[in-house]
Amino acid sequence: MLGKLAAIMATVALGWLAMRRGWLGRATPEAPGNDPARVLSQVVFVLFVPALLFRTMVRQDLSALPMHTLAAYFVPATVFTLAVYAWQRWRPQTHAAVPATRCVAAVYGNAVQLGIPLAAVLFGESGLALHIALVSVHGLVLLTLLTVLVESDLARSSPGATRTATIKNTLRNAFIHPVVLPVLLGLLYNVSGLGLHPVVDQTLQGLAGAAVPLCLVLIGVSLASYGLAGNFKAALSVSLLKLLALPALVLVVAHWGFGLAGMPLGVLVMMAAMPVGSNALIFAQRYGVLQAEATLAILVSTLLFVASGAWWLAVLPCLG
């Protein structure tokens, strides 16, 4: 686990170095749109991440999904998402996208770069298969929900917005979206039974393989751009929600509500316990809010995961 964390931090550091040295260019008063952090975020958001999501959904064996086990994760995770969102909506906010954007950090973890190798080491091949099933459905359930929430808030905050216009704008922007649309299209393509042409599959595989390291580089670039000037208290609060509150809720519901124990319970709890993932920063960049806070939350939660991850691994054997 420490080796994987070190590799993640090293990749982030390379992004920070590239930005500090000017290797990615710099925004100027004459060309403010050449901000490397914004440009890289846009490329990741509209090209590499959609390729990863679409290919993942197309290749998923839907008939083999363990629905009972998936429900044991996504029922508490969805309730937790709505609770955190409601809490953030209740507090005074400076921008309509803040509640949902902050909620992404509290519920969406680093389930690929850190989660996949960790699941393979801790739970073996069967545990890894379950973890990958969780990852594939994660985007369909939680990212779709969070996108609908943020687009609804943005549509509602528009001057003179009517109820009809709000619903119309929410549906259009939520589903014609670089995160939700590839997931839905991939699901439909999967159901159709049509296979991917080898050339198309290799193209998507190449783009998808670059998504995770580019997201980590983006964190470093954003750190160099925004520094550590983010709201540390908010970043720490979000980190603790992600590292402790969400896995605790998943553990209680999955074990005592759905009767899970052993390897399946361990996979679900560790999935929930992953540190804040790069989707938090991608959402922040997408909507132009909380970029510094999201970057700080990713760094803080990743460092704290050394202790919190060990804690959950110590608790799980007590439940069989």
Side-chain angles (χ1 to χ4, degrees), residues 236-251:
L236 180 61
S237 298
V238 167
S239 298
L240 294 178
L241 285 172
K242 183 66 191 70
L243 297 173
L244 299 178
L246 177 58
L249 179 61
V250 169
L251 185 148

Side-chain angles (χ1 to χ4, degrees), residues 187-207:
L187 180 63
L188 292 174
Y189 197 88
N190 188 319
V191 172
S192 73
L194 299 173
L196 289 174
H197 188 278
V199 174
V200 175
D201 188 42
Q202 289 179 20
T203 302
L204 291 174
Q205 185 178 14
L207 293 171

Side-chain angles (χ1 to χ4, degrees), residues 1-2 5 243-244 301-314:
M1 182 171 70
L2 291 177
L5 288 174
L243 297 173
L244 299 178
S301 64
T302 300
L303 294 174
L304 291 178
F305 179 72
V306 176
S308 64
W311 158 256
W312 290 116
L313 290 176

Side-chain angles (χ1 to χ4, degrees), residues 42-240:
Q42 188 70 4
V43 172
V44 169
F45 200 72
V46 303
L47 185 59
F48 293 98
V49 169
L52 172 64
L53 295 173
F54 178 80
R55 187 171 185 270
T56 299
M57 290 307 301
V58 169
R59 292 171 59 85
Q60 178 64 53
D61 185 358
L62 299 178
S63 64
L65 289 177
M67 301 307 297
H68 179 78
T69 305
L70 292 179
Y73 181 86
F74 286 107
V75 167
T78 301
V79 171
F80 184 81
T81 300
L82 294 174
V84 173
Y85 169 76
W87 171 48
Q88 291 298 317
R89 277 289 308 275
W90 174 74
R91 302 175 64 191
Q93 302 295 348
T94 58
H95 192 284
V98 166
T101 303
R102 187 170 280 152
C103 192
V104 173
V107 302
Y108 218 97
N110 186 353
V112 175
Q113 182 78 2
L114 181 60
I116 287 179
L118 195 63
V121 170
L122 294 176
F123 306 110
E125 185 176 344
S126 57
L128 177 60
L130 176 56
H131 179 87
I132 291 175
L134 288 168
V135 171
S136 65
V137 181
H138 216 234
L140 178 63
V141 176
L142 296 184
L143 275 185
T144 301
L145 172 61
L146 288 162
T147 301
V148 169
L149 291 175
V150 70
E151 293 295 344
S152 174
D153 286 342
L154 289 171
R156 191 165 43 246
S157 66
S158 299
T162 63
R163 182 183 297 273
T164 301
T166 297
I167 295 174
K168 181 180 178 181
N169 290 335
T170 298
L171 292 176
R172 182 181 66 249
N173 294 332
F175 292 100
I176 308 301
H177 191 278
V179 168
V180 176
L181 187 59
V183 171
L184 296 179
L185 290 178
L187 180 63
L188 292 174
Y189 197 88
N190 188 319
V191 172
S192 73
L194 299 173
L196 289 174
H197 188 278
V199 174
V200 175
D201 188 42
Q202 289 179 20
T203 302
L204 291 174
Q205 185 178 14
L207 293 171
V212 172
L214 277 175
C215 287
L216 294 177
V217 169
L218 176 60
I219 295 170
V221 170
S222 299
L223 180 62
S225 298
Y226 307 114
L228 296 176
N231 187 334
F232 181 79
K233 182 178 179 181
L236 180 61
S237 298
V238 167
S239 298
L240 294 178

